Every structure is written in C-alpha cells, then in structure tokens.
Amino acid sequence: MSWSLWWALLGACLLISFTPGAGAVNTMTNALNVGFRRSIWGILGQQAALLIQLLIVAAGLGLVIARSPTAFDVIRYCGAAYLGYLGVRLILSPGQDGDLDVTDRSDESGVSMFVRGLWVNLLNPKAIVFLLAFIPGFVAADRDLPTQYGVIGLTIVAVDVTVMWLFFALLGRMFARVTSSPRSRRRLDVLFGLLFIGVGVMLALM
C-alpha cells in the first residue's frame, strides 16, 4: 500500500471513528461508571469485534450476509435487541439501598466490559456491509492480500482505540466530574440508556 493510499485510509478511519454510534455510547458509559483507565477493556472488546468482521469480509462470508436478507435481519434484530436490553437495564438500574444513588458498577470486571464491547460491535451487520463497500478501495488484487488486510486492520484498530479512549472515554469521564450528586448521576444513566435504545431502534429500522 502506497503512503498516499494509507493517508486516505487514515482519514476515512478517523471520520468513521468520530461518527457517534453504539461503540461510542458504550465507551462513554464505561468511562462514567468505572473510570477512564479501565474503560479500555470495553474498547478492546469492540476492536476484537472489528477484527472478526474484517476477517469475515476477507473470507468472503460478508458478501453472503449482505446478500441474504434473512441472515442480515437476524443479526440486525439481535443487535437491536441487545442494545435495547443494555439501555433498559441502565434506565432501570436501582439506586443503592433504594435511594437516588446509582448502582455501583465501579467494580465491574474487565472481562465483563470486554464481552459487552465485543457484542455491541459484533451484532451490527451494518459494519460488515460498510466494510464490504469500504475495504475494496484500499486493496490491490495483484498484491499480497494478507499484508494489505493486516495494514488495514491495524490502522482501523489503532485509530478506533485512539478516538474511543482519548475522545469518547474522556467525554464520558467529563460527565462524571460535572455530576457529583446522586440525582445527576441517575439522570446520566437514563440519558445513556435512552441513547442505547435510540441506536438500537436506528439499527432495527435501517
């Protein structure tokens, strides 16, 4: 891959990563609840999903999913239902001892956040369809395909980790700092819950 093509890839990846979606909401929620540093676990789960989706596209299975309305709809509705579940769970999370305080999730394990991040991104068939349309423009059929896909995968992951952690996670942490009261934190839980549900509805209706 030439440097000019790589710079184009980098610019496209930045635009994609800065576009708000389920991954951004998940990252901000984690940063709000467990802190900036530990939110990286959810981000790594999201990157694992991106790499799996890239492998699916590289193997040609993405084209099967894109051309099969049934397969696409199954993944789409499962993803929408999962996002809706996350949103409802966040909205209905009870306060400690029944008061207005939000449930303490600061001790959530890294594995739990990783798995949630994995499913948030993996159950999004739009990502596979997008990669099918996006990747061919950066792949030359007459050159080494594994190397090209490796460069593309590393670039996508590096950019997404940077944007998610140094922008969306910091944004979520900023919310935590300006909402010191239990009532304010509770309102943020409801807000992020509604955002999860909104993204799920968009996924279901797309």
Side-chain angles (χ1 to χ4, degrees):
M1 180 181 294
S2 65
W3 279 107
S4 60
L5 190 60
W6 183 82
W7 280 110
L9 172 66
L10 180 63
C13 289
L14 283 169
L15 287 174
I16 296 165
S17 294
F18 273 112
T19 302
V25 177
N26 186 58
T27 298
M28 288 189 290
T29 304
N30 284 337
L32 176 68
N33 291 319
V34 304
F36 169 74
R37 291 183 180 179
R38 295 191 62 233
S39 67
I40 190 65
W41 289 107
I43 296 171
L44 292 177
Q46 293 167 199
Q47 305 319 305
L50 279 176
L51 290 176
I52 292 172
Q53 290 166 334
L54 184 60
L55 287 173
I56 289 173
V57 170
L61 297 177
L63 193 60
V64 176
I65 294 173
R67 289 183 174 178
S68 171
T70 300
F72 186 88
D73 284 344
V74 167
I75 299 174
R76 176 165 61 108
Y77 288 127
C78 285
Y82 184 64
L83 292 175
Y85 160 74
L86 292 178
V88 171
R89 189 180 69 170
L90 202 55
I91 292 172
L92 298 181
S93 58
Q96 294 177 0
D97 300 324
D99 60 17
L100 286 172
D101 200 358
V102 294
T103 303
D104 183 12
R105 292 181 292 274
S106 60
D107 61 346
E108 182 179 8
S109 70
V111 173
S112 174
M113 287 185 286
F114 181 93
V115 171
R116 186 170 65 250
L118 176 72
W119 286 115
V120 161
N121 268 10
L122 201 56
L123 291 174
N124 183 6
K126 187 177 74 171
I128 294 177
V129 174
F130 177 79
L131 287 174
L132 276 171
F134 175 74
I135 296 301
F138 299 96
V139 175
D142 59 342
R143 297 183 181 179
D144 184 53
L145 291 179
T147 300
Q148 292 181 84
Y149 275 104
V151 170
I152 292 171
L154 287 174
T155 303
I156 291 175
V157 168
V159 169
D160 204 53
V161 167
T162 302
V163 172
M164 287 295 151
W165 206 26
L166 299 184
F167 181 75
F168 288 111
L170 283 177
L171 189 60
R173 198 56 187 160
M174 182 184 70
F175 280 122
R177 289 177 179 175
V178 300
T179 54
S180 56
S181 70
R183 188 181 296 272
S184 297
R185 290 295 299 273
R186 181 69 189 128
R187 287 173 179 170
L188 273 183
D189 266 358
V190 173
L191 172 62
F192 282 113
L194 290 174
L195 286 174
F196 268 124
I197 294 172
V199 175
V201 170
M202 289 175 60
L203 179 61
L205 296 179
M206 73 176 184

Short mmCIF file of all heavy atoms in Angstrom, two decimals, residues 5 7 13 15 21 29 33 39 44 53 56 59 74 77 79 108 111 120 125 137 140 147 155 170 186:
data_model
loop_
_atom_site.label_atom_id
_atom_site.label_comp_id
_atom_site.label_asym_id
_atom_site.label_seq_id
_atom_site.Cartn_x
_atom_site.Cartn_y
_atom_site.Cartn_z
N LEU A 5 -2.19 6.28 -0.41
CA LEU A 5 -3.39 5.47 -0.16
C LEU A 5 -3.60 5.26 1.34
O LEU A 5 -4.74 5.28 1.83
CB LEU A 5 -3.26 4.13 -0.88
CG LEU A 5 -4.54 3.26 -0.93
CD1 LEU A 5 -5.65 3.99 -1.65
CD2 LEU A 5 -4.24 1.93 -1.61
N TRP A 7 -2.69 7.30 3.76
CA TRP A 7 -3.19 8.55 4.34
C TRP A 7 -4.68 8.70 4.07
O TRP A 7 -5.44 9.20 4.92
CB TRP A 7 -2.43 9.75 3.79
CG TRP A 7 -1.10 9.96 4.44
CD1 TRP A 7 0.13 9.77 3.87
CD2 TRP A 7 -0.85 10.38 5.79
NE1 TRP A 7 1.14 10.05 4.77
CE2 TRP A 7 0.57 10.43 5.95
CE3 TRP A 7 -1.65 10.74 6.86
CZ2 TRP A 7 1.18 10.79 7.15
CZ3 TRP A 7 -1.05 11.11 8.07
CH2 TRP A 7 0.33 11.14 8.20
N CYS A 13 -10.76 6.38 8.26
CA CYS A 13 -10.92 5.73 9.56
C CYS A 13 -11.26 6.75 10.65
O CYS A 13 -12.07 6.48 11.54
CB CYS A 13 -9.66 4.96 9.94
SG CYS A 13 -9.37 3.48 8.97
N LEU A 15 -12.84 9.64 10.26
CA LEU A 15 -14.22 10.07 10.07
C LEU A 15 -15.20 9.02 10.60
O LEU A 15 -16.19 9.34 11.26
CB LEU A 15 -14.49 10.32 8.58
CG LEU A 15 -13.86 11.58 7.97
CD1 LEU A 15 -14.10 11.61 6.47
CD2 LEU A 15 -14.45 12.82 8.63
N GLY A 21 -21.96 6.26 17.60
CA GLY A 21 -22.71 5.03 17.43
C GLY A 21 -22.74 4.26 18.72
O GLY A 21 -22.43 4.78 19.80
N THR A 29 -20.30 5.28 28.57
CA THR A 29 -20.94 4.68 29.74
C THR A 29 -19.92 4.02 30.65
O THR A 29 -19.96 4.17 31.87
CB THR A 29 -22.00 3.66 29.30
OG1 THR A 29 -22.95 4.29 28.43
CG2 THR A 29 -22.74 3.08 30.50
N ASN A 33 -18.82 5.07 34.55
CA ASN A 33 -19.06 4.16 35.67
C ASN A 33 -17.79 3.56 36.28
O ASN A 33 -17.74 3.34 37.50
CB ASN A 33 -19.99 3.02 35.23
CG ASN A 33 -21.39 3.51 34.97
OD1 ASN A 33 -21.93 4.34 35.70
ND2 ASN A 33 -22.01 3.01 33.90
N SER A 39 -11.91 1.82 31.29
CA SER A 39 -12.83 1.77 30.14
C SER A 39 -12.16 1.16 28.91
O SER A 39 -12.83 0.78 27.95
CB SER A 39 -13.34 3.17 29.80
OG SER A 39 -12.29 4.01 29.32
N LEU A 44 -11.31 -2.51 23.91
CA LEU A 44 -10.61 -3.66 23.33
C LEU A 44 -11.60 -4.71 22.83
O LEU A 44 -11.37 -5.36 21.81
CB LEU A 44 -9.67 -4.27 24.37
CG LEU A 44 -8.46 -3.41 24.76
CD1 LEU A 44 -7.65 -4.09 25.86
CD2 LEU A 44 -7.59 -3.11 23.55
N GLN A 53 -15.04 -8.98 12.16
CA GLN A 53 -15.82 -8.54 11.00
C GLN A 53 -14.92 -8.38 9.77
O GLN A 53 -15.32 -8.70 8.65
CB GLN A 53 -16.55 -7.24 11.32
CG GLN A 53 -17.69 -7.42 12.30
CD GLN A 53 -18.18 -6.11 12.89
OE1 GLN A 53 -17.44 -5.14 12.96
NE2 GLN A 53 -19.44 -6.09 13.29
N ILE A 56 -14.27 -11.76 8.43
CA ILE A 56 -15.47 -12.24 7.73
C ILE A 56 -15.51 -11.68 6.31
O ILE A 56 -15.80 -12.38 5.34
CB ILE A 56 -16.74 -11.86 8.51
CG1 ILE A 56 -16.83 -12.68 9.79
CG2 ILE A 56 -17.99 -12.06 7.66
CD1 ILE A 56 -17.96 -12.27 10.72
N ALA A 59 -12.76 -13.21 4.16
CA ALA A 59 -13.05 -14.60 3.79
C ALA A 59 -14.20 -14.73 2.79
O ALA A 59 -14.47 -15.81 2.29
CB ALA A 59 -13.38 -15.40 5.05
N VAL A 74 -31.53 -11.29 10.89
CA VAL A 74 -31.32 -11.98 12.17
C VAL A 74 -30.26 -11.26 12.99
O VAL A 74 -30.46 -10.98 14.18
CB VAL A 74 -30.92 -13.46 11.93
CG1 VAL A 74 -30.40 -14.08 13.23
CG2 VAL A 74 -32.11 -14.26 11.43
N TYR A 77 -31.60 -7.64 14.02
CA TYR A 77 -32.58 -7.60 15.12
C TYR A 77 -31.98 -8.07 16.43
O TYR A 77 -32.35 -7.57 17.50
CB TYR A 77 -33.82 -8.43 14.75
CG TYR A 77 -34.67 -7.78 13.69
CD1 TYR A 77 -35.02 -8.47 12.54
CD2 TYR A 77 -35.10 -6.46 13.82
CE1 TYR A 77 -35.79 -7.87 11.54
CE2 TYR A 77 -35.87 -5.86 12.84
CZ TYR A 77 -36.21 -6.56 11.70
OH TYR A 77 -36.96 -5.96 10.73
N GLY A 79 -28.88 -7.54 17.27
CA GLY A 79 -28.11 -6.38 17.70
C GLY A 79 -29.00 -5.29 18.29
O GLY A 79 -28.68 -4.71 19.34
N GLU A 108 -16.95 -3.51 38.16
CA GLU A 108 -17.22 -4.44 37.06
C GLU A 108 -15.90 -4.94 36.49
O GLU A 108 -14.95 -4.18 36.31
CB GLU A 108 -18.03 -3.75 35.96
CG GLU A 108 -18.38 -4.69 34.82
CD GLU A 108 -19.21 -4.03 33.73
OE1 GLU A 108 -19.38 -2.79 33.79
OE2 GLU A 108 -19.66 -4.74 32.82
N VAL A 111 -13.24 -8.40 32.05
CA VAL A 111 -13.80 -9.42 31.16
C VAL A 111 -15.23 -9.08 30.79
O VAL A 111 -15.64 -9.19 29.63
CB VAL A 111 -13.73 -10.81 31.82
CG1 VAL A 111 -14.47 -11.84 30.97
CG2 VAL A 111 -12.28 -11.24 32.02
N VAL A 120 -21.54 -5.57 21.39
CA VAL A 120 -22.08 -4.30 20.90
C VAL A 120 -21.67 -4.08 19.45
O VAL A 120 -22.48 -3.67 18.62
CB VAL A 120 -21.60 -3.12 21.79
CG1 VAL A 120 -21.76 -1.79 21.05
CG2 VAL A 120 -22.40 -3.08 23.09
N PRO A 125 -24.67 -5.71 11.71
CA PRO A 125 -24.38 -6.13 10.34
C PRO A 125 -24.04 -4.97 9.43
O PRO A 125 -23.41 -5.15 8.39
CB PRO A 125 -25.70 -6.81 9.91
CG PRO A 125 -26.75 -6.14 10.75
CD PRO A 125 -26.08 -5.89 12.07
N GLY A 137 -11.62 -0.45 -1.90
CA GLY A 137 -10.94 0.73 -2.41
C GLY A 137 -9.50 0.84 -1.95
O GLY A 137 -8.72 1.63 -2.50
N ALA A 140 -5.37 -3.87 -3.42
CA ALA A 140 -4.96 -4.14 -4.80
C ALA A 140 -4.91 -5.66 -5.00
O ALA A 140 -4.19 -6.36 -4.29
CB ALA A 140 -3.60 -3.52 -5.09
N THR A 147 -1.03 -9.16 3.72
CA THR A 147 -0.31 -7.97 4.19
C THR A 147 -1.19 -6.74 4.12
O THR A 147 -1.24 -5.93 5.05
CB THR A 147 0.96 -7.75 3.36
OG1 THR A 147 1.82 -8.89 3.48
CG2 THR A 147 1.70 -6.51 3.85
N THR A 155 -4.58 -0.34 11.11
CA THR A 155 -4.93 1.08 11.02
C THR A 155 -6.30 1.35 11.62
O THR A 155 -6.48 2.29 12.40
CB THR A 155 -4.90 1.56 9.56
OG1 THR A 155 -3.61 1.30 8.99
CG2 THR A 155 -5.21 3.04 9.46
N LEU A 170 -12.85 10.12 27.48
CA LEU A 170 -12.61 11.38 28.20
C LEU A 170 -13.90 12.19 28.31
O LEU A 170 -14.15 12.84 29.33
CB LEU A 170 -11.54 12.20 27.49
CG LEU A 170 -10.09 11.74 27.70
CD1 LEU A 170 -9.15 12.62 26.87
CD2 LEU A 170 -9.71 11.80 29.18
N ARG A 186 -27.90 9.75 38.28
CA ARG A 186 -29.06 8.95 37.87
C ARG A 186 -29.61 9.43 36.53
O ARG A 186 -29.98 8.64 35.66
CB ARG A 186 -30.14 9.04 38.96
CG ARG A 186 -31.38 8.22 38.65
CD ARG A 186 -31.09 6.74 38.72
NE ARG A 186 -32.22 5.96 38.22
CZ ARG A 186 -32.12 5.03 37.30
NH1 ARG A 186 -30.95 4.74 36.77
NH2 ARG A 186 -33.17 4.35 36.90
#
